[in-house]
Amino acid sequence: MSLSSYRNVDRERLAQDIKQLYRQAQADLGEEDFRHMQRMERWGQACSLLGYATAWIAPNPLSALLISQGSFARWTQVAHPIQHRGYDKIKQAEPRYQSKGFAKGWRRFLDWPDWMTPAGWHHEHDVLHHYRLGETADPNNAQHNMQWLRQSGLPMWLRYVIVALFSGVWKLSYYTPRTHKELRLEQARHQHQPAPKMTRIGAWSLFTQQGRGLWLESILPYAAFRFVLLPALFLPLGSVAASSVLLNSILAEIFTNMHSFLVMIPNHAGDDVMGFDEKAHSKGEFYLRQILGSVNYPTGSNANDFLYGWLNYQIEHHLWPDLPLSQYQKLQPQVKALCARHGIPYCQDSVFKRLLKAVDIMVGKTSMLKPALAQA
């Protein structure tokens, strides 16, 4: 889509067509959608079990990759759709698979052990990101978040190196403190209190409320679970076995960071993806932005989609975030056809092509499209 044609889309008709597809999906919801998610859950659990079953032998990339895939699957294919209320309307779904019961209280490390708190990630992702996609206020706006690097005087090769290193630690160094920050701001707003002072340095300091919360609620509990408790379970096999599990766990964490960076960051970045300066003023405009501000990867089979964490259906997910994973497979061809009827580009590329486009945005080599330019 050229920028000049952006304003010519019939937004009212687009909204009607998208709502019709949603009604169709709602009528199709049933037990099979829930069983499908449980099957993906078992695949992830099998990866974790096989990874840890071999991790004690020696530090090795295969065990680490299996542990990593298990963690990735737990986040993207269990926690993600459940927190979006994807199974709340399916009567066969047990309470622990519904948004009100999942990962709440003592169930946190049973349902979804990760750096981020479930509440923090829910607010940052489900609320702020989904309803402010591509805006400056979108916490996942790669171009805005990386302005410090884009505008730096560093040589371009060094910028690429920095992004490469960042990809291995981004969940801990960026995503966890960001979700913690956004939740704290929302809690203050909800309690009608002044917004607490939030700084990058203070986020990690034990001398600030912000930093203590991050360490006590996110970092220390997860580090104790993943890098102390789980390796300690292998001590009966000897200290070498426990040390091997620890090293494989650390390597798995790096792999999970790189895997999630690969499939998440390019979903909404590239010189052919739109960013926005203002909020959407109609439902049709909102839907249009979800399409033009999102990118899909190859789709189709459960095995393929499992490796992508179902994030290869990003367009469909942003149109209907509260649908089960399996519905995206059914809807994807219809959404693609709908976009063709409305003259809207449906962006679907190799994940590695999209990664390069996203990194080019992060380092300042290219910039996002802006619909305001269509008025010129």
Side-chain angles (χ1 to χ4, degrees), residues 120-373:
W121 188 70
H122 167 71
H123 180 67
E124 189 270 356
H125 175 79
D126 300 349
V127 179
L128 299 182
H129 170 58
H130 271 265
Y131 288 98
R132 300 177 181 180
L133 178 65
E135 301 172 16
T136 301
D138 177 0
N140 297 336
N141 186 319
Q143 179 168 311
H144 175 71
N145 289 339
M146 298 301 289
Q147 284 297 334
W148 65 271
L149 185 61
R150 287 169 56 86
Q151 297 175 356
S152 72
L154 297 174
M156 194 60 70
W157 69 266
L158 183 54
R159 300 186 198 185
Y160 282 106
V161 170
I162 290 173
V163 171
L165 295 174
F166 175 66
S167 71
V169 295
W170 81 291
K171 283 180 68 180
L172 174 60
S173 64
Y174 166 73
Y175 220 1
T176 301
R178 184 62 187 251
T179 56
H180 182 79
K181 169 186 174 182
E182 296 296 349
L183 181 62
R184 286 292 175 267
L185 291 172
E186 172 60 16
Q187 289 172 339
R189 186 197 66 80
H190 188 71
Q191 297 168 3
H192 305 289
Q193 297 177 351
K197 184 178 180 181
M198 297 286 189
T199 65
R200 291 182 179 178
I201 296 178
W204 296 92
S205 174
L206 289 173
F207 297 100
T208 67
Q209 184 178 1
Q210 178 189 7
R212 286 192 297 273
L214 177 65
W215 280 95
L216 296 177
E217 297 171 22
S218 294
I219 297 177
L220 292 179
Y222 180 73
F225 170 80
R226 181 68 70 181
F227 307 121
V228 178
L229 176 61
L230 291 182
L233 295 178
F234 291 82
L235 282 174
L237 298 178
S239 59
V240 173
S243 298
S244 294
V245 173
L246 173 59
L247 292 174
N248 279 318
S249 297
I250 294 172
L251 184 58
E253 191 65 39
I254 296 172
F255 285 161
T256 305
N257 274 263
M258 295 175 69
H259 189 180
S260 57
F261 184 93
L262 170 66
V263 296
M264 290 182 180
I265 299 301
N267 271 152
H268 305 290
D271 58 1
D272 53 353
V273 177
M274 281 197 175
F276 309 94
D277 294 323
E278 300 176 348
K279 289 186 176 182
H281 299 296
S282 70
K283 200 66 176 179
E285 172 67 18
F286 177 83
Y287 286 138
L288 180 60
R289 291 185 179 193
Q290 306 315 302
I291 299 170
L292 296 178
S294 303
V295 173
N296 278 15
Y297 311 132
T299 56
S301 69
N302 282 340
N304 173 82
D305 299 343
F306 177 74
L307 294 176
Y308 284 113
W310 253 260
L311 299 173
N312 48 333
Y313 295 95
Q314 197 68 189
I315 294 173
E316 290 73 26
H317 173 61
H318 266 261
L319 291 174
W320 309 291
D322 62 342
L323 286 181
L325 298 176
S326 51
Q327 287 294 327
Y328 296 139
Q329 282 184 341
K330 301 175 182 178
L331 288 165
Q332 188 270 334
Q334 299 179 66
V335 174
K336 190 172 183 178
L338 181 151
C339 289
R341 291 200 305 272
H342 284 272
I344 303 171
Y346 183 93
C347 190
Q348 186 173 24
D349 285 320
S350 157
V351 68
F352 297 106
K353 176 181 177 180
R354 298 312 312 182
L355 176 64
L356 179 58
K357 282 183 170 291
V359 173
D360 283 346
I361 291 290
M362 298 176 75
V363 301
K365 185 177 180 179
T366 59
S367 297
M368 305 279 283
L369 291 176
K370 288 288 187 178
L373 298 178

Side-chain angles (χ1 to χ4, degrees), residues 64-82:
L65 282 170
L66 286 166
I67 295 171
S68 172
Q69 179 62 37
S71 298
F72 176 77
R74 194 71 195 173
W75 179 15
T76 60
Q77 295 165 68
V78 180
H80 188 200
I82 289 176

Side-chain angles (χ1 to χ4, degrees), residues 105-124:
W106 63 271
R107 292 197 62 91
R108 174 185 171 185
F109 283 93
L110 190 63
D111 291 339
W112 181 34
D114 213 313
W115 296 106
M116 300 159 289
T117 63
W121 188 70
H122 167 71
H123 180 67
E124 189 270 356

